Short mmCIF file of all heavy atoms in Angstrom, two decimals:
data_model
loop_
_atom_site.label_atom_id
_atom_site.label_comp_id
_atom_site.label_asym_id
_atom_site.label_seq_id
_atom_site.Cartn_x
_atom_site.Cartn_y
_atom_site.Cartn_z
N TRP O 88 9.19 2.34 20.83
CA TRP O 88 8.26 1.24 20.67
C TRP O 88 7.99 0.97 19.20
O TRP O 88 8.29 1.78 18.34
CB TRP O 88 6.93 1.52 21.38
CG TRP O 88 6.50 2.96 21.35
CD1 TRP O 88 6.63 3.86 22.36
CD2 TRP O 88 5.93 3.69 20.25
NE1 TRP O 88 6.15 5.09 21.96
CE2 TRP O 88 5.71 5.01 20.68
CE3 TRP O 88 5.57 3.34 18.95
CZ2 TRP O 88 5.16 5.98 19.85
CZ3 TRP O 88 5.01 4.30 18.11
CH2 TRP O 88 4.82 5.61 18.58
N ILE O 89 7.44 -0.20 18.97
CA ILE O 89 6.92 -0.57 17.66
C ILE O 89 5.44 -0.88 17.86
O ILE O 89 5.09 -1.80 18.60
CB ILE O 89 7.64 -1.79 17.07
CG1 ILE O 89 9.13 -1.50 16.89
CG2 ILE O 89 7.00 -2.19 15.73
CD1 ILE O 89 9.95 -2.71 16.47
N LEU O 90 4.59 -0.09 17.25
CA LEU O 90 3.15 -0.24 17.41
C LEU O 90 2.58 -0.98 16.20
O LEU O 90 2.82 -0.61 15.06
CB LEU O 90 2.51 1.15 17.54
CG LEU O 90 1.06 1.23 17.96
CD1 LEU O 90 0.80 0.50 19.27
CD2 LEU O 90 0.66 2.69 18.10
N ASP O 91 1.83 -2.03 16.48
CA ASP O 91 1.32 -2.93 15.45
C ASP O 91 -0.20 -3.03 15.62
O ASP O 91 -0.68 -3.50 16.64
CB ASP O 91 2.02 -4.28 15.65
CG ASP O 91 1.39 -5.44 14.91
OD1 ASP O 91 0.54 -5.22 14.04
OD2 ASP O 91 1.77 -6.58 15.21
N GLY O 92 -0.95 -2.54 14.63
CA GLY O 92 -2.40 -2.64 14.68
C GLY O 92 -3.11 -1.36 15.07
O GLY O 92 -4.32 -1.33 15.19
N PHE O 93 -2.36 -0.31 15.25
CA PHE O 93 -2.93 0.99 15.60
C PHE O 93 -1.95 2.07 15.19
O PHE O 93 -0.75 1.89 15.40
CB PHE O 93 -3.18 1.07 17.12
CG PHE O 93 -3.93 2.31 17.53
CD1 PHE O 93 -5.31 2.33 17.56
CD2 PHE O 93 -3.25 3.47 17.86
CE1 PHE O 93 -6.00 3.47 17.92
CE2 PHE O 93 -3.92 4.62 18.22
CZ PHE O 93 -5.30 4.60 18.25
N PRO O 94 -2.39 3.17 14.62
CA PRO O 94 -3.75 3.50 14.25
C PRO O 94 -4.19 2.75 12.99
O PRO O 94 -3.35 2.36 12.18
CB PRO O 94 -3.70 5.00 14.00
CG PRO O 94 -2.29 5.27 13.59
CD PRO O 94 -1.45 4.28 14.34
N ARG O 95 -5.51 2.57 12.85
CA ARG O 95 -6.05 1.90 11.67
C ARG O 95 -6.94 2.81 10.84
O ARG O 95 -7.43 2.40 9.80
CB ARG O 95 -6.82 0.64 12.08
CG ARG O 95 -5.88 -0.41 12.61
CD ARG O 95 -6.48 -1.77 12.56
NE ARG O 95 -7.32 -2.03 13.70
CZ ARG O 95 -7.82 -3.22 13.97
NH1 ARG O 95 -7.59 -4.24 13.19
NH2 ARG O 95 -8.57 -3.39 15.04
N THR O 96 -7.17 4.02 11.32
CA THR O 96 -7.93 5.01 10.55
C THR O 96 -7.26 6.36 10.71
O THR O 96 -6.47 6.57 11.65
CB THR O 96 -9.39 5.12 11.05
OG1 THR O 96 -9.38 5.63 12.39
CG2 THR O 96 -10.12 3.77 11.01
N VAL O 97 -7.58 7.28 9.82
CA VAL O 97 -7.02 8.63 9.92
C VAL O 97 -7.49 9.29 11.21
O VAL O 97 -6.72 10.00 11.87
CB VAL O 97 -7.37 9.47 8.67
CG1 VAL O 97 -6.96 10.92 8.85
CG2 VAL O 97 -6.70 8.87 7.43
N ALA O 98 -8.74 9.03 11.63
CA ALA O 98 -9.23 9.59 12.89
C ALA O 98 -8.40 9.07 14.07
O ALA O 98 -8.05 9.82 14.98
CB ALA O 98 -10.71 9.24 13.09
N GLN O 99 -8.05 7.78 14.05
CA GLN O 99 -7.21 7.23 15.11
C GLN O 99 -5.81 7.85 15.06
O GLN O 99 -5.21 8.10 16.10
CB GLN O 99 -7.10 5.71 14.98
CG GLN O 99 -8.35 4.97 15.36
CD GLN O 99 -8.20 3.47 15.19
OE1 GLN O 99 -7.16 2.96 14.76
NE2 GLN O 99 -9.26 2.74 15.51
N ALA O 100 -5.30 8.11 13.87
CA ALA O 100 -3.97 8.73 13.74
C ALA O 100 -3.98 10.13 14.35
O ALA O 100 -3.01 10.53 15.01
CB ALA O 100 -3.55 8.77 12.27
#
Side-chain angles (χ1 to χ4, degrees):
W88 35 259
I89 299 173
L90 191 55
D91 166 12
F93 187 89
R95 291 201 276 189
T96 65
V97 172
Q99 287 179 359

